Amino acid sequence: MKKQLQKIKFSAFLWIMLFYVSLSFAQSPSAGFNSTFVVLSLNGGGNTFYDLQATTGNPDFNGANLGTFCQGSSGILFKGAEHNNYKCGGCDITSTRLNYRIYPVGSPSGSFIVNNIGFSSDFNNGCGGKDQRWSSTSYNVNLLSGLNAGNYTLEIYSEQSTTCSGTQFASNGGSNYLATFTVAPLPTLASITATPACENGTSTVTMTGLLPSTSGTFFYTNSITGPVQYPVSGTSTASGTFTFNTPALPLIANGAIITIVSGTV
């Protein structure tokens, strides 16, 4: 009977010790990232959230090809980021940041640009702390500004300052998150040629030096009809050539001058 009582006491002591160890562990100061996203706007579209440290229905940023954009355009706007994180046992998160840099593909270089991402909301979690959301989508930075034609890498990582673990990173294990894009040179209309036309025939107009394989619309005038602008739409060839036919030309149009007024190809 005495031995059995000792076993009961020992078991009770063991469970009490495990309870206190578990309680101490749950309330120990700690913090970290749950998920991170970068927010971009492409070609004037709405804000798109890209997964960084996350697996959701959003497009993945890492390894993405963001597309081809004209030099001097505002085709890629950095809008901000969202950081979802946690803090436990008295630890505090005092700030978060998303950092990026842009460089030619294959040549990592340059300093990271630091973007502060502010606090948005939180709720109690199960570790004596809070899960938080830090979010900002009010940036409007043109990432193509000042870039020459070429292929580029956009490299990103996130970080946060804490009172228990210093600076913490969401950086793809230190490799950061990388996407690529291309800046196409501004098209230069190299030449315009027009074939002769018989009375009531059409003239074929050919333009060269345009962006290859790109759809768009041109407007042209005919010196006989004055300021009236005629639209013509189509797609340039792989070599950057665009060809169209004029309407039937009357005899009075002999010697007419065709002028390309404007166009986007």
Side-chain angles (χ1 to χ4, degrees):
M1 181 70 179
K2 186 175 181 181
K3 290 182 178 180
Q4 186 177 3
L5 182 61
Q6 287 176 339
K7 285 183 179 180
I8 294 173
K9 288 182 178 179
F10 176 76
S11 297
F13 175 75
L14 179 61
W15 281 108
I16 290 170
M17 286 297 294
L18 288 173
F19 173 76
Y20 279 115
V21 169
S22 299
L23 185 64
S24 174
F25 177 78
Q27 294 182 346
S28 61
S30 62
F33 284 101
N34 289 323
S35 60
T36 62
F37 306 88
V38 63
V39 185
L40 303 176
S41 170
L42 303 184
N43 291 321
N47 291 352
T48 299
F49 284 69
Y50 289 84
D51 287 353
L52 296 174
Q53 182 178 297
T55 302
T56 73
N58 297 325
D60 291 333
F61 179 83
N62 197 48
N65 184 337
L66 300 177
T68 299
F69 308 89
C70 284
Q71 183 180 357
S73 73
S74 54
I76 308 179
L77 296 180
F78 169 71
K79 303 297 291 187
E82 179 177 314
H83 295 150
N84 297 295
N85 45 25
Y86 67 88
K87 59 180 184 178
C88 300
C91 186
D92 196 17
I93 300 169
T94 58
S95 63
T96 78
R97 297 163 295 282
L98 182 134
N99 308 315
Y100 69 79
R101 63 177 179 174
I102 298 170
Y103 49 81
V105 167
S107 302
S109 58
S111 301
F112 283 89
I113 297 174
V114 179
N115 304 273
N116 292 313
I117 307 301
F119 173 80
S120 294
S121 61
D122 62 14
F123 59 89
N124 294 331
N125 56 23
C127 64
K130 293 180 181 293
D131 279 10
Q132 297 186 325
R133 183 170 71 96
W134 297 63
S135 179
S136 175
T137 57
S138 59
Y139 286 95
N140 200 45
V141 181
N142 181 6
L143 298 184
L144 303 182
S145 179
L147 296 183
N148 294 322
N151 299 313
Y152 291 89
T153 295
L154 172 57
E155 181 177 355
I156 289 175
Y157 73 92
S158 299
E159 62 181 1
Q160 64 184 17
S161 299
T162 73
T163 58
C164 59
S165 300
T167 302
Q168 297 178 318
F169 301 93
S171 60
N172 194 25
S175 298
N176 298 336
Y177 301 93
L178 288 76
T180 59
F181 62 91
T182 298
V183 177
L186 289 174
T188 301
L189 190 57
S191 66
I192 303 175
T193 58
T195 61
C198 295
E199 182 179 3
N200 294 320
T202 64
S203 177
T204 300
V205 180
T206 301
M207 296 176 287
T208 65
L210 305 174
L211 286 177
S213 304
T214 305
S215 298
T217 300
F218 280 96
F219 294 87
Y220 70 94
T221 60
N222 180 328
S223 61
I224 302 300
T225 55
V228 178
Q229 294 188 14
Y230 301 93
V232 57
S233 298
T235 301
S236 62
T237 66
S239 61
T241 297
F242 184 70
T243 300
F244 67 91
N245 292 323
T246 67
L249 299 171
L251 182 61
I252 194 174
N254 186 41
I257 299 173
I258 292 175
T259 303
I260 305 299
V261 178
S262 62
T264 54
V265 171

